Amino acid sequence: MATERYNPRDAEPRWQAKWNEENVFLTRNDDPREKYYVLEMFPYPSGRIHMGHVRNYAMGDVVARYKRARGFNVLHPMGWDAFGMPAENAAMQNKVHPKGWTYENIATMRGQLKSMGLSLDWSREFATCDVEYYQRQQHLFLDFLEKGLVYRKQSKVNWDPVDHTVLANEQVIDGRGWRSGALVEQRELTQWFFRITDFSQDLLDSLDTLDQWPEKVRLMQKNWIGRSEGMLIRWEIAENAGLTGEKDVTVYTTRPDTLFGASFLAISADHPLAKDAAAQNPEIMAFCEECRRAGTSLAALETAEKKGMDTGIRVRHPFDANWELPVYVANFVLMDYGTGAIFGCPSGDQRDLDFAHKYDLPVVPVVMPKDADAATFAIGDEAYVGDGVMINSRFLDGLSTEDAFETVATRLSAATLGNAPQGELKVNFRLRDWGISRQRYWGCPIPVIHCDDCGVVPVPKADLPVKLPDDVTFDKPGNPLDRHPTWRHVACPHCGKDARRETDTMDTFVDSSWYFARFTAPWEDNPTDPAAANAWLPVDQYIGGIEHAILHLLYSRFFTRAMQVSGHLDVKEPFKGLFTQGMVVHETYSRGEGARREWVTPAEIRIEELDGKRRALHLESGEEIAIGSIEKMSKSKKNVVDPDDIIASYGADTARFFVLSDSPPDRDVIWSEAGVEGAHRFVQRVWRLVSEAALSLKTAESRPGEEGDALAVSQIAHKTLKAVQADYDKLAFNKAVARIYEFVNALAAPLATAAAGKASPELASALCEAVGILIRIVAPMTPHLAEECWREIGGAGLVATSGWPAYQDSLVADNEVTLPVQINGKKRADLTIARDADQSAVEAAVLALEAVQAALAGQRPKKIIVVPQRIVNVVV
RNA sequence: GCGGGCGUGGCGAAACUGGUAGACGCAAGAGACUUAAAAUCUCUCGGCCUUGGCUGUGCGGGUUCGAUCCCCGCCGCCCGCACCA
């Protein structure tokens, strides 16, 4: 009986319509079953989806469908991270409105995602640029403001004088704006900040509770937060050189133990003391300017020479009033870490040592390795940064580094300078408060009003939303909100006088810092329904790219805490489980050189192989195209493969199955068409096997048939079920795929017997069950195929609403095991024996083996190692 | 520089963290079916020699009855942070 090939173009839309009709994936908040929240990082609507999206959402969908089958009430929503620069760039380049551009992209991409057959609750969909969403974000902002979690301060920013905008550090390339190419200036602007540093310690401590996060990500966050334990030490100014009125200067150090090795103080060019000095001395002024300019170029930092200038100011050593040290302005001291001032101990720090050599400052070794000889220990070109024993340090001599730290801390805390302690213990963090002001149009307006009389006035909640005006122009650089004729002019909510709206919008990272909470009740007037948020959160499984390991995840962790403080929910950590999936990468193709280089999409070329050499030829012109490096799929390099083509020719199931096969999900994959065909063969094979055997399986009981090993079929079915279940639990999709292949390979012969109408009733019944298991374990990956097969075998209802089958322990465990038998560690034979055979029984059986007898040649073995149910090793 | 990870066939990768190395898939080769093609099926497929072995998980040592896995020392690649006091 010839079976028709499975036709995804017919089947997939049919089942998608069916799921939709029956509201299979709508999630109710009042469902009594245990909850499971699975979320993939929502996409930026850049235009079309690419294979990276397919991989991300296929993984999430497997988890969602699997957990649904396991009986959980699954929340699996989708939305759009829709504010951001590309929309404004498109507006400037193509004269389209950011709003129109964004919503059109969303419509396209939504259609593409729907064609993948994802089990999403589309009723909860939103875009962050929806007024309904950003209104609630403004609400949150106001609540944070009230709780003191938001503040304004002057801050240095990278300012592009051509585009009239602030640039993020990564948008400054070699000191120039990435778009305009203009030299970037450092400007002081008043900006809004979120007080993320209020939670530094908690954000650090709680990392330990996130045991379902990759170790790597936790470590990255830990380093980013950057906790260090040290001291603040105040140094009395002995000589001000007529440059400052200050009486003392405070430094931060993690090595107070090395205090007797100090030979200079260094301060940042932005330190108040440096500013005082610069005001009095043009040379210092010039040097400070130079330091600031150098600071803009990120790459230059690496190689930048350590430079300093002696200010002439002198300070007294905290433990010796007669010991004076020079104060330098130095280009390597950062104003925003510690106090912007350090003491230099050249023997214990490589940078300080280089600096000391350059400016002829003393180098006194104060720490030596435990086993070194104090008489001969010296510092050459390399500082000794390790722990050890104190030397040349007066009352600290002989102490360990650790004890010296304690001693100095105790003494300085007790001592006073003026009327304050001379030193205090201080924990310092690298983490900075989060600046959220952006001088851009396409973002969430910051809901405050500036009044000449009342100052900064929050917009009353009743007046929300502060809506973005639609009638804006992009013909000039700068923020369109600034030059809008009317939008910024409003009355002060306090006094009613003319006032001005804040025209800055929020960093788009704010939008993505709480969307996962909004999904729990997107219909709410308030930002959240706390009951719903508390019930659903934390997200049980969050899936996304490693590129968000720090910022997005840290900001979301902060937001959750801030929302807890302001009563919007009552959990601390937003994401219980995190999985970082690998990228989909592809070769790049280009023609032309230098500035004229033009990228070519894979769709426009064909690859030819000649004498082992691969060549790329342009389809239209036949011209040879250069094959470039393998990189992450991106619009700019055009090395994207549009899933539409693959879905159109092979179907969504094949695309899904392929991206889940072969490679571990956390590793990058190189896209290859050959792999797609392999996956498609599997889809067709499952369909053929199931459909060919389906009829005879149903009728087998009525007639006698050939013997078949029904038990073997049941055993592999249940073993596979158990293993695949474990793989899905661990998100090891590639291993699940391999096991399913093995399973299908094992079923092929018995199913052929059945298809020929020769299966015994026992075999037919075992096959019936096995096929049912097969359909349900492939269903999370290839859901349309599963439905089609399910109908073919006469399954009740939909696979999508069927439960997960339970494996039987008795069928999973074998009564007999086959042990490899090694002689001196090399495998020489197999031994099949009862599973519960004891040591002596196994030994006896092993000694009886021909191969063992031959190896022993009549001798007694030295040793026999029996690892139960695993291996036997005979040592001769 | 600091921190982390990885290195297994022609390719993507498995191997229950000390127990048969290379499961499964891709590619390749041979064959069957076919007028032919597609589809499908069967077999081969790390390397070296003659059956049977030997050898093999980046390289060199070590621990162990037994090492892809643990320890020491190299080599190579990738990622993150980067003047953090």
Side-chain angles (χ1 to χ4, degrees), chain A residues 802-872:
Chain A
S802 301
W804 192 253
Y807 62 84
Q808 279 177 41
D809 282 319
S810 59
L811 290 168
V812 171
D814 290 306
N815 292 327
E816 290 196 321
V817 286
T818 299
L819 303 176
V821 177
Q822 294 182 332
I823 293 165
N824 290 337
K826 305 225 179 223
K827 192 202 162 193
R828 285 296 124 102
D830 281 314
L831 173 70
T832 300
I833 196 163
R835 183 188 175 75
D836 51 5
D838 63 15
Q839 172 112 5
S840 55
V842 173
E843 278 182 26
V846 163
L847 289 174
L849 289 171
E850 209 177 301
V852 176
Q853 296 270 325
L856 286 173
Q859 307 274 308
R860 285 173 55 85
K862 283 192 189 136
K863 205 180 196 182
I864 300 180
I865 291 138
V866 177
V867 183
Q869 289 158 51
R870 189 101 311 158
I871 201 165
V872 182

Side-chain angles (χ1 to χ4, degrees), chain A residues 461-481:
Chain A
K461 280 192 191 145
D463 294 352
L464 293 183
V466 176
K467 269 191 179 171
L468 282 173
D470 286 336
D471 52 337
V472 284
T473 54
F474 294 91
D475 49 351
K476 282 182 232 143
N479 183 350
L481 293 175

Side-chain angles (χ1 to χ4, degrees), chain A residues 678-693:
Chain A
H680 189 61
R681 269 203 289 275
F682 169 82
V683 169
Q684 291 295 349
R685 187 165 186 227
V686 169
W687 168 248
R688 207 171 49 247
L689 290 176
V690 171
S691 59
E692 280 178 3

Side-chain angles (χ1 to χ4, degrees), chain A residues 701-717:
Chain A
E701 289 192 33
S702 59
R703 51 142 209 282
E706 276 180 18
E707 279 303 305
D709 196 345
L711 180 66
V713 167
S714 295
Q715 279 180 332
I716 182 151

Side-chain angles (χ1 to χ4, degrees), chain A residues 386-416:
Chain A
D387 285 350
V389 182
M390 304 310 301
I391 50 173
N392 302 325
S393 295
R394 306 189 194 183
F395 56 87
L396 299 175
D397 281 349
L399 295 181
S400 69
T401 317
E402 207 178 313
D403 291 342
F405 186 117
E406 291 297 316
T407 307
V408 171
T410 310
R411 289 219 189 182
L412 287 183
S413 303
T416 55

